[in-house]
Amino acid sequence: MVNPLQPASLSQARRADGPVSTPAPPSAPPSAPEPRDILISRNAQDETVFPATQETLHNVTVNGGQLSDAKVELNATLNPAKDGTYVFPQSDQADQTAALVFSATTDTIHSFEAHGIPINYNSPDGKLQTTPDEGQDFNAFYSRDPQPGTHFFDGLDTKTNQKIMSGASGEVVSHETGHSILDTLRPAYLSSYTPDVAAFHEAWGDWCGLLKSFDDPRTIDLVAKQTGGDLSKPNAIAYTGEELGKAINDVEGKNVTGGPYVRDAINNFTWIDPNTLPGDAPPDQLSSEAHSFSRLWTGSMYEILEKIEQRNMAACNGDAKAALQATGAQAWSITKNLISFMPQGDFTYADMAKALIASDKADNGGKNADIMQSVMSARGILRPAASTPAPPPTSAPPTNGGSVFEMASMK
């Protein structure tokens, strides 16, 4: 008799009608795809400036039609082109835009990390979700929740009858990705009541688009020709979202952005207490609205780069391309240095300007401190009256589980 507490051997396991079949061992779960290199569409600017090109992205996981890497997940299905790459023509607009969003997002995050600024997303998988097209709107935004991630849209330019995709601009994507990066570095900024903080968040987004433009060889070549090394002249680095801005103005039937762009970093705005400003104003004036008031900080930072570029032009014997490359490297250094000195919570522009100068003195030997002090003082940001935080507005900051930062609006 077989001991019921012991397994029977195969020879003992018999029934009257023959041997008993043994169950097959469970199959192993399918292994996850290995990360690999892919060739993908890339454009640091947009079609208005120059056509998309291509680049190689490393360590991308391709799981069916889903693309992701260690920090980014594309929230869309994107199958490869017939040649097996993710390089698409502009005529294949939806797929090209999805590829452009993924490449610009990963490039922006990887650039920060390559400069010694680790980015750690507070999401279950540690990744930023990015959605390349959520429907019709001349807009783009970042949100913490209830729609975590970056979001891009499309709109019809009624003058040209062309569909414009906000995600097709590398600057726009870097801007929104910049919001997500700042949210990992200073999460308290999203819940701040201080007007300057919301405006700084927008200026930071523009700054991230500018950083990635300085990283792009085609943009450097173009801006060297456009400016001859004089960054006070109109150029593709100073302009953000040319294609999107033009479409907005075409649909509105008038200039509501200030020119053929969403925003221009070249300006001469000076400090005015945002609590005394109107909630809306023409593009040549400041309002208390975050996107409008952000232009003061963006313009100040860009003017600092203008002056650094002048110094680099002298050091590079008038070689505009070499000088621009040096200025771009210093822009990244300014960014890294500032991060460790940025206030943790509420602040005014004056507080941030003081942190900027202190960071340069501490981590760069003060090489740019005089330029920073001069620009911030001339802009009225650094002055005794601006050193005390402005009183909070009577209304609460945007909630939406955090804050939604729109790149552009038809309003």
Side-chain angles (χ1 to χ4, degrees):
M1 178 178 181
V2 178
N3 184 345
L5 298 181
Q6 298 293 329
S9 68
L10 181 59
S11 61
Q12 292 172 322
R14 299 282 180 179
R15 293 203 318 247
D17 55 353
V20 176
S21 300
T22 57
S27 58
S31 58
E34 290 291 329
R36 60 183 175 87
D37 293 350
I38 64 170
L39 197 63
I40 193 167
S41 297
R42 177 76 174 106
N43 196 344
Q45 298 289 322
D46 57 47
E47 285 285 327
T48 301
V49 181
F50 39 59
T53 182
Q54 61 190 38
E55 70 172 0
T56 299
L57 286 184
H58 304 289
N59 299 317
V60 176
T61 299
V62 180
N63 191 357
Q66 303 300 311
L67 298 185
S68 65
D69 76 349
K71 296 295 171 72
V72 182
E73 183 165 352
L74 185 68
N75 188 22
T77 299
L78 182 62
N79 293 308
K82 292 181 179 179
D83 61 2
T85 73
Y86 291 85
V87 179
F88 302 95
Q90 205 277 332
S91 57
D92 195 353
Q93 196 173 28
D95 284 344
Q96 188 194 59
T97 299
L100 292 172
V101 166
F102 186 75
S103 62
T105 304
T106 56
D107 272 353
T108 304
I109 296 169
H110 292 167
S111 292
F112 271 82
E113 297 198 316
H115 285 89
I117 308 166
I119 307 302
N120 298 302
Y121 287 106
N122 186 24
S123 59
D125 59 1
K127 298 181 182 182
L128 174 70
Q129 294 281 326
T130 185
T131 305
D133 188 11
E134 289 199 0
Q136 294 184 348
D137 197 2
F138 285 124
N139 209 350
F141 69 83
Y142 163 74
S143 178
R144 188 188 294 168
D145 62 30
Q147 305 174 72
T150 54
H151 308 261
F152 304 92
F153 299 83
D154 69 79
L156 182 66
D157 185 332
T158 52
K159 185 174 180 179
T160 64
N161 201 36
Q162 291 182 318
K163 180 188 284 189
I164 305 301
M165 316 284 283
S166 63
S169 167
E171 293 172 307
V172 172
V173 177
S174 292
H175 173 106
E176 301 305 337
T177 307
H179 281 307
S180 78
I181 289 170
L182 185 56
D183 194 25
T184 71
L185 300 171
R186 293 293 187 275
Y189 288 4
L190 280 187
S191 56
S192 172
Y193 283 79
T194 308
D196 298 47
V197 179
F200 177 80
H201 228 298
E202 285 302 322
W204 176 272
D206 286 344
W207 180 258
C208 290
L210 179 151
L211 287 172
K212 289 307 299 175
S213 289
F214 269 111
D215 281 350
D216 181 57
R218 289 198 301 168
T219 303
I220 290 294
D221 286 343
L222 175 61
V223 172
K225 295 174 183 176
Q226 290 174 326
T227 68
D230 180 0
L231 287 178
S232 68
K233 296 179 179 180
N235 66 84
I237 290 177
Y239 290 174
T240 296
E242 291 91 330
E243 185 177 55
L244 182 59
K246 180 180 180 299
I248 291 172
N249 292 330
D250 284 348
V251 172
E252 286 289 294
K254 59 183 179 181
N255 180 12
V256 296
T257 66
Y261 41 71
V262 175
R263 283 197 285 281
D264 180 9
I266 302 171
N267 63 60
N268 58 2
F269 293 124
T270 56
W271 168 265
I272 303 174
D273 185 342
N275 292 308
T276 68
L277 290 170
D280 192 19
D284 61 345
Q285 300 174 30
L286 289 177
S287 78
S288 60
E289 192 274 329
H291 299 83
S292 175
F293 196 64
S294 72
R295 295 177 297 162
L296 169 56
W297 184 267
T298 300
S300 301
M301 293 297 292
Y302 183 84
E303 186 178 350
I304 290 169
L305 294 185
E306 283 183 34
K307 296 183 181 303
I308 291 174
E309 174 70 6
Q310 292 171 8
R311 188 176 64 197
N312 288 334
M313 281 289 288
C316 295
N317 298 315
D319 185 334
K321 181 177 177 180
L324 286 167
Q325 291 170 332
T327 300
Q330 288 169 66
W332 274 109
S333 177
I334 288 170
T335 305
K336 181 180 179 180
N337 295 342
L338 175 60
I339 286 172
S340 61
F341 281 76
M342 290 192 302
Q344 293 291 332
D346 284 350
F347 60 86
T348 64
Y349 278 177
D351 299 323
M352 188 62 75
K354 292 173 183 177
L356 177 71
I357 294 167
S359 71
D360 191 75
K361 289 180 178 179
D363 296 328
N364 191 39
K367 294 178 183 178
N368 299 318
D370 288 346
I371 292 176
M372 294 169 174
Q373 180 75 45
S374 173
V375 170
M376 293 298 178
S377 297
R379 296 271 184 158
I381 291 174
L382 282 179
R383 58 180 185 175
S387 61
T388 302
T394 55
S395 59
T399 54
N400 194 32
S403 183
V404 173
F405 291 90
E406 297 175 337
M407 180 67 193
S409 174
M410 293 300 294
K411 298 179 181 178

